[in-house]
Amino acid sequence: MAIRIEPRDPLTQAQGVEAGYAQTARRWPSQPLVRRPLGAAELSGPQHLARRLPLAGGGKAGDLAGYGDKRAIGQLVRLRIRVLDEDGAPLPGTVLEVWHCNAAGKYIHPNDTHDAPVDPNFYGAARLVAGDTGLVELRTIKPGAYPVPDTGGWWRPPHVHLSVWGRVWLSRLVTQMFFPGEPLNEADAILNAIRDPGARERCIACLASSKTSEMIFEHQLVVRGRKASAGTP
Ligand SMILES: [Fe+2]
């Protein structure tokens, strides 16, 4: 299987260490890269993972918000994320991982030392498979903003972390989806690490409807090409 790793576009793909966000130093190489032949560890991938997961939108896997007495606190939202290739063609069967914090800005993760309250009814993460039209649908609550650790006074805007697996482990897009109209978007160092304004805009979802019990947000995730969704540090 021929695998070609495209070089990153510095205008549309965030990269490097972001000032003020200490964690980005651990997410980016501090030394020049060394080219070496790819081995089985890189050229193998998540085989048949999609078959072991329910289709997006079906059952509990597409729901982080719970129901009734077990409902997570927060504004109910439905995310409709369409996974597309560079020509806008849908990518059915794509495995999408989603995770975000609760409405108070707290992640379900031991590294989250923020003193915001935990929500026992919030699930926090899901792994879903895109349906025939490339659509992944997730019912959840709108995540809160949270202060960035180790800095003075910078709050991250509400956002949803997304990861898409390609055919091999090396082929993975990790990005974030932002919400429209959020004042904190303007000053967010992670969003602004994407230099191209159009690429930043493509990371922000659209409010499709607020006329139902859930606010519906639509978002496109483009896995490659000139309009590829920006990877975030
Ligand atoms: Fe986050």
Side-chain angles (χ1 to χ4, degrees):
M1 179 168 46
I3 300 294
R4 201 158 63 96
I5 306 295
E6 299 288 342
R8 291 171 71 91
D9 176 357
L11 276 181
T12 61
Q13 299 295 314
Q15 52 192 313
V17 176
E18 286 306 313
Y21 197 168
Q23 292 174 328
T24 57
R26 299 200 297 272
R27 298 171 185 168
W28 192 255
S30 60
Q31 302 289 321
L33 299 182
V34 176
R35 187 172 288 277
R36 67 168 179 79
L38 300 178
E42 291 86 16
L43 295 177
S44 57
Q47 297 295 309
H48 310 302
L49 186 55
R51 278 197 308 187
R52 298 188 217 125
L53 296 167
L55 280 177
K60 284 285 181 190
D63 191 340
L64 300 182
Y67 288 87
D69 291 343
K70 297 287 186 185
R71 229 262 271 157
I73 293 170
Q75 300 166 338
L76 273 183
V77 297
R78 181 168 294 271
L79 309 182
R80 289 186 178 152
I81 300 170
R82 205 172 290 276
V83 188
L84 304 169
D85 72 7
E86 68 269 53
D87 299 319
L91 292 170
T94 303
V95 175
L96 178 73
E97 293 171 319
V98 182
W99 67 100
H100 66 81
C101 62
N102 70 20
K106 179 82 171 174
Y107 282 97
I108 303 175
H109 195 283
N111 286 356
D112 189 338
T113 55
H114 183 202
D115 67 354
V118 170
D119 182 347
N121 298 325
F122 174 61
Y123 291 82
R127 187 177 281 150
L128 302 160
V129 182
D132 287 344
T133 59
L135 185 67
V136 171
E137 207 161 330
L138 180 71
R139 178 179 179 268
T140 185
I141 50 96
K142 186 178 174 186
Y146 60 82
V148 174
D150 311 324
T151 62
W154 172 34
W155 282 63
R156 297 238 42 223
H159 60 278
V160 174
H161 293 266
L162 302 170
S163 152
V164 179
W165 288 103
R167 287 184 300 164
V168 299
W169 295 118
L170 270 185
S171 177
R172 186 187 184 198
L173 171 67
V174 182
T175 184
Q176 296 178 25
M177 188 204 91
F178 295 79
F179 290 84
E182 291 291 331
L184 289 169
N185 285 350
E186 300 293 320
D188 184 54
I190 298 298
L191 187 55
N192 283 294
I194 304 161
R195 309 295 176 219
D196 178 64
R200 279 201 299 278
E201 203 57 39
R202 292 194 292 276
C203 287
I204 301 174
C206 295
L207 177 62
S209 173
S210 57
K211 294 195 166 90
T212 55
S213 59
E214 307 157 350
M215 280 188 286
I216 300 173
F217 289 92
E218 293 181 346
H219 189 55
Q220 289 194 347
L221 205 57
V222 180
V223 298
R224 58 177 174 261
R226 206 163 45 86
K227 296 281 178 68
S229 302
T232 49

